[in-house]
Each structure stands twice: as structure tokens, then as C-alpha cells.
């Protein structure tokens, strides 16, 4: 897996934090060794890409948008992907108070691309409709 891209504010009018990860979210696994590997990857990449010195934001109600990019058109169910460790890693940035329903909204979509990767955007919930309306203008090219 390649290193993730640094997080950044990607829209001048309101803060949107961007995290990028190589590969696809893995399916759920009962094997503890695999769980630890996934947990450690998302935690390491998230915390290394987050600029702790430049950011002092925490959203009371956060919106998380996940764009899954797949290199093949093979059928993949997004609901079978293990989001737990990705969300736990985002919570460790302190952008999100907690990952319970009271504090986050979650949306994900899938797209074709030349490689498998994941782009994650975290913002205040009140700006989420604007983010969706802006579409590609809010996304950072990887």
C-alpha cells in the first residue's frame, strides 16, 4: 500500500478535510490478525497525514463522504466493506467527537478509476449539501 495523501482544507469557504488511502476497504473479517492489520493501516495513514499543528476544528455534527474508486467494473457491495477502522481512525483526529449516530452522517459512492483507492472528506454537517452541490470542484485530484 502506498502512503496516503496529506489531509487538507479543500474549499476556501468552509473547512473540508481530505484523506486518501490506497486500495479498497476490506470486507468484514473474523480473523483477529487481519483486523489488526486493517486497523493499524488506517490509523497510521490517517494520523500521519493529519496536520496537528494547523488544525483546531471539531465538528459537533460531522458529515463523512467516502468515494470508493475501483480499477475494475467487478460487482462490489459497499455495505460489505469494513468501515469500522477507517471511522475509528478519523475519530482519533478529534475532528469527530464520536462515531455514534448523534455525531456523524455518512455517505459513500463508488466510481471507476485506473487504480483502487479511497478518498474521504470530513466536514461540518451543515456544509454537506454545498459539498454535494459543488461535486468535483470540492474534490482534490489524486
Amino acid at each position: 500500500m502506498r502512503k496516503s495523501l496529506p489531509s487538507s482544507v479543500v474549499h476556501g469557504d468552509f473547512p473540508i478535510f481530505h484523506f486518501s488511502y490506497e486500495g479498497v476497504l476490506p470486507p468484514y473479517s473474523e480473523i483477529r490478525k487481519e483486523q489488526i492489520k486493517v486497523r493499524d493501516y488506517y490509523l497510521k495513514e490517517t494520523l500521519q497525514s493529519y496536520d496537528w499543528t494547523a488544525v483546531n476544528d471539531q465538528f459537533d455534527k460531522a458529515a463523512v463522504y467516502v468515494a470508493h474508486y475501483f480499477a475494475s467494473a467487478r460487482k462490489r457491495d459497499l455495505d460489505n466493506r469494513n468501515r469500522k477502522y477507517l471511522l475509528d481512525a478519523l475519530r482519533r483526529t478529534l475532528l469527530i467527537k464520536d462515531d455514534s449516530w448523534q455525531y456523524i452522517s455518512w455517505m459513500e459512492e463508488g466510481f471507476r478509476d485506473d487504480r483502487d483507492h479511497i478518498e474521504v472528506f470530513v466536514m461540518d454537517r451543515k456544509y454537506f449539501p454545498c459539498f454535494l452541490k459543488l461535486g468535483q470542484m470540492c474534490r482534490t485530484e489524486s
Side-chain angles (χ1 to χ4, degrees):
M1 295 183 207
R2 286 192 334 210
K3 183 160 176 44
S4 64
L5 297 174
S7 64
S8 60
V9 176
V10 294
H11 191 277
D13 294 338
F14 51 89
I16 302 173
F17 295 88
H18 174 219
F19 298 87
S20 181
Y21 307 91
E22 290 301 315
V24 298
L25 278 177
Y28 292 98
S29 172
E30 298 289 326
I31 302 169
R32 182 72 178 140
K33 191 174 184 178
E34 288 180 21
Q35 292 173 349
I36 291 169
K37 182 179 174 184
V38 171
R39 179 200 66 198
D40 290 351
Y41 170 72
Y42 286 105
L43 185 60
K44 177 181 165 261
E45 294 301 317
T46 301
L47 296 181
Q48 283 183 347
S49 68
Y50 187 69
D51 186 354
W52 293 93
T53 61
V55 179
N56 192 22
D57 289 311
Q58 184 178 65
F59 305 119
D60 289 329
K61 176 84 174 175
V64 179
Y65 175 84
V66 181
H68 300 266
Y69 292 90
F70 300 105
S72 75
R74 181 178 60 151
K75 182 181 176 183
R76 294 188 174 136
D77 292 347
L78 293 180
D79 65 331
N80 293 338
R81 304 279 131 197
N82 188 348
R83 304 169 187 87
K84 178 185 176 26
Y85 299 113
L86 173 59
L87 197 48
D88 286 351
L90 291 173
R91 197 180 75 226
R92 291 282 298 271
T93 65
L94 303 178
L95 288 171
I96 301 169
K97 282 186 177 184
D98 190 56
D99 58 0
S100 64
W101 65 268
Q102 294 98 328
Y103 298 104
I104 67 162
S105 297
W106 179 275
M107 181 180 173
E108 56 191 330
E109 293 184 89
F111 304 94
R112 280 292 309 272
D113 200 7
D114 61 346
R115 65 183 172 79
D116 292 333
H117 61 109
I118 305 160
E119 302 294 325
V120 177
F121 299 88
V122 181
M123 68 208 76
D124 191 294
R125 174 66 180 88
K126 67 185 172 190
Y127 298 122
F128 193 55
C130 181
F131 172 82
L132 292 175
K133 184 177 175 184
L134 292 172
Q136 289 294 336
M137 291 171 43
C138 282
R139 294 194 190 142
T140 302
E141 294 299 320
S142 52

